[in-house]
Amino acid sequence: MWELIRANRRRTALLVGLLAALLLVVGWSVGEVVAPGAGAGGLVVALLLWAGMTAAAWFAGDRLLLAASRARRICKADHPVLWNVVEEMCIAAGLSRMPEVYIIDEAAPNAFATGRSPERSAVAVTAGLLERLDRDELQGVVAHELGHIKNRDVLYMTMAGVMLGAVVLLADLGRRALWHGPAMRRTSSRRGGGSEAALWLLGLALAVLAPILARLMYLALSRRREYLADACAALYTRYPEGLASALETIAGHREPLWAANRATAPLYIVNPLGADAAGRSAWTRTHPPTAERARILRSLAGGTLSLERYDDAFRRVTQRPVGIVPRGARRAPELEPVAARTAHPDVRSHPTRVRELTDALWRAQGYDFLPCACGATLKVPPARAGEALACPRCATTLRAPAASSPA
Amino acid sequence: MGILLVLVAAAAVAALWLVGIFNGLVGLRNAVRNAWSQIDVQLKRRHDLIPNLVETVGGYAKHERETLDAVVRARQQAIQVSDSVVDKAQAENLLSQTLRSLFAVAEAYPDLKANQNFLGLQEELTSTENKISFARQYYNDSAMTYNNKTEMFPSNLVAGLFRFERAEFFEVEEPAERKVPQVRFS
């Protein structure tokens, strides 16, 4: 496992380095375009922009993301099953600290992980996911997310995303400068500056191509991460079928996820914008095709599990010559899988899952549950905590407990 | 002078290399110990949940004294067993089995199955069983990595010199349980 993390770091450092180089080139050329000789100034602006965005992402990125997704933090009493599954997977992954658990109140099934390090991380799942998946499938999804956390994917994807944002911003600035700036006026007034015209064209090409190039690099990184997290989920659960069937359930579902947008889409386990459909080329996807991911996982069934076997399955299914697992991480030991779990299926029926879920959503909004002797349960809004309330069924006066601290 | 310098440099490189191997072994041994303590935490949690469960089930299923007693005895045995990995694994496997038969018995009592307290305990015990098996899985993986390191050349020389002992695996005894390590009470 450690080899994988290390190899991951090296590869990502390389890609992030490339993105950084691109950022610097764009910064320098924008400077040159705005005022010849001001390339160094452009460099400084590019670096400042990048540093500012990185600092924002480092210190507040996870909070911003969770707030933008309208995720609510829960505690164990809110949804014991989800909490237990996260705890189980933490143990399986050997994470020293349990991530915070969030629920997003949306019908579309999906999930994401965030946080800059395993010590400060969070897992968020949607209500639709909790409603539709059984325990084994939920375990697969949570294992995939913890795989992201364990492999430090979240940090690298955030850093790469920031870099991409900076390149796009700068290139945008450059295009504006090219159309309205002094270089444009000079070129058009003098009419003969061949070298300046060439430079202008070069700048334009760069301003148009750089964001595209940066985006393609970012997406390549994103897709690779998804495969690796799938492989880790298979190792943690020792049951690839769980995640495979969860992926199919999620992908087979066509409800849009309202809280997601183009910026946050790469973070989810399956693209929430439905870009999984045909028509998107392999280069511009944020996620690998779900059917392919499920097929790779299924072909692992019935043998020992290892990153090497996942890699072989990946090459067999995608027919690509180069695998997904870094060379150094391939020689990890083979692990025994668990046999089919049909002997002990999830005993919770669909209505039970829905009940658990709605209770969790009420509690996450600060409602308290007050059981009455007649068998009814009152949901007490936070504003009425500590008041005397009459049971609507038997009219007994009950005292609501004082406001408990929010989860 | 030149030869001396080369010799000193070679000795320094060799020393650094040895230190690296030694530290790697220590790190792995600590990982194994840490993984073991994780199993221990979950086993204790299970021991703590059982009295409550026995009481709840006993309230509804009064005629199942035999099964309930078996669970209580197995728990007592698991608590008193020595700290050796093999003994512990045996006692805990026995406890898992008696628990499974207790939940099978509970099937016959619809009132019990509808009891909120019982459902909560069932979820907790299911999850604790899962946690034990995941902790065992992680422990065995760590133990394997560590054992490989202590036996393979050249780290086995350092391991022998500083008495790094083999870690024992937490084995599941019966072939029946090997098939279904994940326990789902139904």
Side-chain angles (χ1 to χ4, degrees), chain B:
Chain B
M1 184 66 193
I3 294 167
L4 196 68
L5 216 62
V6 167
L7 280 178
V8 168
V13 167
L16 274 179
W17 186 60
L18 280 177
V19 167
I21 290 181
F22 180 80
N23 285 350
L25 279 167
V26 171
L28 284 173
R29 190 172 60 187
N30 286 344
V32 171
R33 283 182 188 160
N34 185 34
W36 176 252
S37 71
Q38 193 51 253
I39 298 185
D40 233 24
V41 168
Q42 297 308 330
L43 291 178
K44 287 219 173 65
R45 167 112 182 100
R46 181 159 74 167
H47 299 160
D48 293 346
L49 284 168
I50 286 173
N52 209 338
L53 177 78
V54 168
E55 195 174 318
T56 309
V57 175
Y60 287 83
K62 295 193 176 63
H63 307 299
E64 311 289 353
R65 265 284 52 106
E66 219 171 289
T67 321
L68 289 170
D69 285 346
V71 172
V72 172
R73 269 200 311 275
R75 171 179 179 268
Q76 207 54 37
Q77 209 177 338
I79 289 174
Q80 285 164 352
V81 82
S82 72
D83 261 350
S84 114
V85 174
V86 178
D87 290 354
K88 218 165 193 164
Q90 218 160 15
E92 293 297 339
N93 287 336
L94 183 69
L95 182 55
S96 291
Q97 276 171 15
T98 56
L99 270 177
R100 222 169 297 149
S101 54
L102 179 62
F103 278 105
V105 161
E107 278 299 292
Y109 298 85
D111 288 351
L112 177 59
K113 273 167 62 189
N115 181 304
Q116 211 60 42
N117 194 15
F118 176 73
L119 287 176
L121 279 168
Q122 190 176 16
E123 162 61 24
E124 277 315 296
L125 271 163
T126 307
S127 178
T128 308
E129 285 282 341
N130 284 351
K131 282 170 195 160
I132 291 170
S133 80
F134 284 123
R136 183 171 65 197
Q137 173 184 305
Y138 186 70
Y139 168 81
N140 283 343
D141 292 354
S142 313
M144 173 145 71
T145 315
Y146 169 73
N147 285 347
N148 283 349
K149 196 88 176 181
T150 55
E151 282 165 26
M152 280 183 195
F153 186 81
S155 48
N156 64 343
L157 301 178
V158 182
L161 193 62
F162 293 98
R163 298 225 172 80
F164 282 88
E165 277 160 23
R166 264 184 73 86
E168 282 178 278
F169 292 110
F170 195 119
E171 293 284 5
V172 181
E173 298 286 302
E174 312 84 339
E177 205 188 329
R178 184 168 272 289
K179 254 190 234 138
V180 196
Q182 293 284 303
V183 174
R184 286 291 137 69
F185 302 120
S186 54

Side-chain angles (χ1 to χ4, degrees), chain A residues 258-272:
Chain A
W258 300 108
N261 56 38
R262 274 181 58 194
T264 55
L267 296 164
Y268 288 87
I269 183 166
V270 166
N271 193 334

